[in-house]
Amino acid sequence: MSFINYASREINCKLVYYGPGLCGKTTNLQYIYQKTNPDIRGKMISLATETERTLFFDFLPLALGSIRGFKVRFHLYTVPGQVFYDASRKLILKGVDGVIFVADSQLERMEANVESVENLRLNLQEQGYDLDKLPYVIQYNKRDLANVAPLHEMRELINPNGVPDYEAVAPVGTGVFDTLKAVARLVLIELKRGQGG
C-alpha cells in the first residue's frame, strides 16, 4: 500500500522484484541504478552472502515526476530467491504496491520459476493480497543464453492470465526499463483510481 506524506507532499510506492535464486533480480536493480540520474535516486543498499547472492533487499528510491502536486517516489526491492529465506520474502512483501516477477529463461530453471510464482501467490495471500488484483508484470530474463525455453512455453507455465511481460537480458539492460515502466504505470493507474480518478 502506498504511503502518502502530506508534509513533504510525497507518495511513496513499493515495488518488489520476485523470482527464483540467481534469476537476475539484483542485476535489474544494479542496471537501473547505474543508468539513473544521481539527482533522482537514493542510495542502493545491497546485502549479499559470500556467493554474491542477495540476502535481504536492495533499496532504490526513485523519484518519477508528480501527481496533482505530489512527488511520486518508487522504492525498489528484491527478495532473496533461495528457498530457505521464505520469512524474509514475506517481510519484504508487506506494503507492496507492485510486483515484477523475474523468470530465469533457462530450460532447467522452469520448475524453479513455477515454484517461485506459487510461493509469491501464497506469500501474498498470507498478507491479505491477491496477485490477480495487484499491479504485476513478468520479465523473462537471460534470453541471450543458448538453452532458453521457448517464449510461448514460458507464458503457458507462468503467465496464464496474460499480464504484461517482457523478454530481457538484464546485464546489458535489454527489457529492464520496459519492465519497470510497465509496473510503474500500473501502480500509478491504481493510485489515480484510489484518489477517485
Side-chain angles (χ1 to χ4, degrees):
M1 174 180 278
S2 55
F3 171 73
I4 300 175
N5 184 333
Y6 288 95
S8 62
R9 298 191 65 77
E10 274 189 1
I11 302 172
N12 290 275
C13 301
K14 183 177 188 178
L15 305 180
V16 175
Y17 283 75
Y18 211 94
L22 298 178
C23 66
K25 301 178 292 294
T26 299
T27 307
N28 266 269
L29 257 66
Q30 287 171 334
Y31 186 84
I32 293 164
Y33 188 80
Q34 289 165 6
K35 297 297 179 181
T36 302
N37 183 340
D39 294 338
I40 64 165
R41 73 177 191 214
K43 184 179 178 184
M44 184 162 70
I45 300 166
S46 180
L47 302 174
T49 67
E50 293 173 359
T51 54
E52 301 290 327
R53 291 182 177 188
T54 306
L55 252 181
F56 293 108
F57 59 83
D58 299 329
F59 180 71
L60 172 60
L62 191 61
L64 292 177
S66 65
I67 295 180
R68 296 179 184 168
F70 283 79
K71 286 185 282 184
V72 179
R73 187 177 293 269
F74 286 95
H75 299 267
L76 311 184
Y77 291 78
T78 65
V79 298
Q82 299 92 322
V83 174
F84 45 89
Y85 290 122
D86 202 40
S88 299
R89 284 195 292 276
K90 289 178 187 177
L91 192 65
I92 292 166
L93 281 174
K94 280 191 176 179
V96 67
D97 292 294
V99 176
I100 300 100
F101 184 84
V102 181
D104 189 328
S105 294
Q106 296 176 92
L107 279 168
E108 64 270 24
R109 297 297 287 161
M110 289 307 105
E111 191 176 330
N113 288 327
V114 172
E115 285 175 3
S116 187
V117 168
E118 289 171 357
N119 177 259
L120 168 62
R121 188 174 292 278
L122 187 66
N123 282 343
L124 285 170
Q125 280 174 354
E126 287 183 17
Q127 314 259 356
Y129 297 103
D130 180 349
L131 180 60
D132 297 330
K133 294 179 181 171
L134 266 180
Y136 175 50
V137 300
I138 294 175
Q139 179 188 90
Y140 308 106
N141 194 24
K142 305 189 181 183
R143 297 306 294 174
D144 58 327
L145 300 182
N147 58 334
V148 298
L151 196 57
H152 71 275
E153 287 183 17
M154 293 193 73
R155 283 182 168 140
E156 283 177 24
L157 277 175
I158 59 175
N159 191 11
N161 294 334
V163 300
D165 56 3
Y166 298 88
E167 294 184 80
V169 182
V172 295
T174 305
V176 170
F177 277 101
D178 293 332
T179 311
L180 175 61
K181 286 176 187 171
V183 77
R185 188 165 45 242
L186 291 174
V187 168
L188 291 176
I189 289 170
E190 282 299 308
L191 270 177
K192 288 177 180 173
R193 190 176 292 158
Q195 293 178 343

